[in-house]
DNA sequence: AATCTATGCAACCGCCGCTTA
DNA sequence: CTAAGCGGCGGTTGCATAGAT
């Protein structure tokens, strides 16, 4: 527990905000020589004026050599949609099935690309049902995207999906039975393929 | 060309569970 | 048994920039 949250420290020695190239190099160099360890100690030992949490986040999401950056592939996108529909926002679990992708990247991708289209689609369906648009807008924040968190589509907790050696689509868990009255999935609203094709210009990046 | 708006992403925040002394 | 420290997670924010007007 963060009884004394690091970020609230008054210590002027603790830097926050974007990492500099120099800081990146220091962290990478230290981990290359000493390995990952207790992050708070690592930060001090490396001479970084950062919190352990900040170092860990930077390393895991950006500096780690096996981190893959760039466009999400169609296979990855399908997997994200499928796993999110089953597990909800358990990004770390989802990330385990996408080698080289971080939970933060998947989370951002979901919120900025997929969620947006879900809301648009929902609003379209709501309009089709002649429900006043104000109802559909009620769940959007100042960006109009955040509130899809309220779309609770988790159906089952993550379980052992057969190990991490599986390749993308072969790792797809069996689809949930739609007759679970307490749960529903993205697929219940529209087919995944139509979701992708509905992404318009974005779809050009996902063509196989 | 200048201004406004939307978008993407890196990083921060706060909470929780586990471990250890 | 309990308190403190740490790692980890999900949600949120702020900034840079691309695109629209």
């Amino acid at each position: 527990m963060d009884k004394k949250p690091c970020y609230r420290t008054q210590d002027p020695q603790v830097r926050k905000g974007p990492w500099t190239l120099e800081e990146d190099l220091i962290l990478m160099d230290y981990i290359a020589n000493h390995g990952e360890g207790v992050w708070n100690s690592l930060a001090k030992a490396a001479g970084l004026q950062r919190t352990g949490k900040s170092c860990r986040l930077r390393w895991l999401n950006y500096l780690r050599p096996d981190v893959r950056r760039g466009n999400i592939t169609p296979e990855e996108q399908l997997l994200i949609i499928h796993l999110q529909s089953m597990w909800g926002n358990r990004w770390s679990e989802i990330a385990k099935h996408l080698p080289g992708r971080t939970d933060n990247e998947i989370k951002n991708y979901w919120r900025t690309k997929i969620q947006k289209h879900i809301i648009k689609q929902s609003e379209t369906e709501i309009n089709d049902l002649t429900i006043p648009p104000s109802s559909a807008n009620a769940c959007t924040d100042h960006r109009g995207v955040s509130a899809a968190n309220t779309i609770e589509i988790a159906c089952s907790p993550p379980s052992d999906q057969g190990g991490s050696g599986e390749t993308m689509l072969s790792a797809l868990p069996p689809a949930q039975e739609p007759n679970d009255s307490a749960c529903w999935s993205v697929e219940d609203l529209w087919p995944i393929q139509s979701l992708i094709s509905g992404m318009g210009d974005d779809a050009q990046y996902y063509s196989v």
Side-chain angles (χ1 to χ4, degrees):
Chain A
M1 286 175 261
D2 285 336
K3 303 297 182 184
K4 300 170 186 173
C6 301
Y7 301 111
R8 290 208 176 280
T9 178
Q10 300 299 314
D11 187 354
Q13 299 294 319
V14 176
R15 271 179 48 79
K16 292 199 288 187
W19 280 63
T20 65
L21 177 61
E22 184 182 8
E23 288 176 314
D24 283 346
L25 291 174
I26 291 172
L27 182 57
M28 290 174 70
D29 183 62
Y30 187 90
I31 292 177
N33 290 322
H34 301 89
E36 299 177 38
V38 179
W39 289 105
N40 279 340
S41 304
L42 186 153
K44 290 177 184 173
L48 289 165
Q49 295 174 342
R50 294 277 183 172
T51 65
K53 277 190 172 186
S54 183
C55 293
R56 173 185 164 275
L57 200 68
R58 183 63 176 174
W59 172 253
L60 292 179
N61 288 336
Y62 198 86
L63 299 177
R64 225 172 24 153
D66 59 330
V67 168
R68 286 200 298 142
R69 308 189 70 75
N71 287 347
I72 301 286
T73 66
E75 289 82 6
E76 288 173 321
Q77 181 176 354
L78 285 173
L79 192 56
I80 291 169
I81 293 170
H82 189 91
L83 295 180
Q84 207 280 346
S85 72
M86 288 180 52
W87 298 341
N89 298 349
R90 303 184 70 164
W91 306 116
S92 63
E93 288 295 329
I94 294 171
K96 289 176 185 174
H97 289 80
L98 287 98
R101 301 295 184 185
T102 68
D103 56 351
N104 205 36
E105 185 178 14
I106 294 169
K107 179 170 60 181
N108 280 333
Y109 182 76
W110 175 266
R111 297 176 69 86
T112 59
K113 298 284 178 60
I114 301 174
Q115 195 175 76
K116 181 173 59 182
H117 291 277
I118 288 175
I119 290 175
K120 277 184 184 176
Q121 191 102 16
S122 296
E123 288 176 350
T124 299
E125 293 186 2
I126 287 170
N127 287 336
D128 288 347
L129 294 172
T130 68
I131 294 174
S134 58
S135 301
N137 292 335
C139 63
T140 60
D141 72 351
H142 68 287
R143 291 182 171 189
V145 295
S146 297
N149 284 334
T150 61
I151 299 175
E152 185 49 68
I153 51 183
C155 288
S156 64
S159 58
D160 185 5
Q161 295 296 328
S164 57
E166 296 170 314
T167 56
M168 298 300 168
L169 291 176
S170 65
L172 285 175
Q176 294 295 308
E177 291 296 321
N179 59 0
D180 185 340
S181 60
C183 306
W184 53 277
S185 67
V186 172
E187 293 91 325
D188 293 336
L189 293 179
W190 53 85
I192 290 176
Q193 290 297 344
S194 69
L195 178 66
I196 294 173
S197 63
M199 286 185 167
D201 292 338
D202 287 343
Q204 63 181 307
Y205 300 113
Y206 307 119
S207 59
V208 180

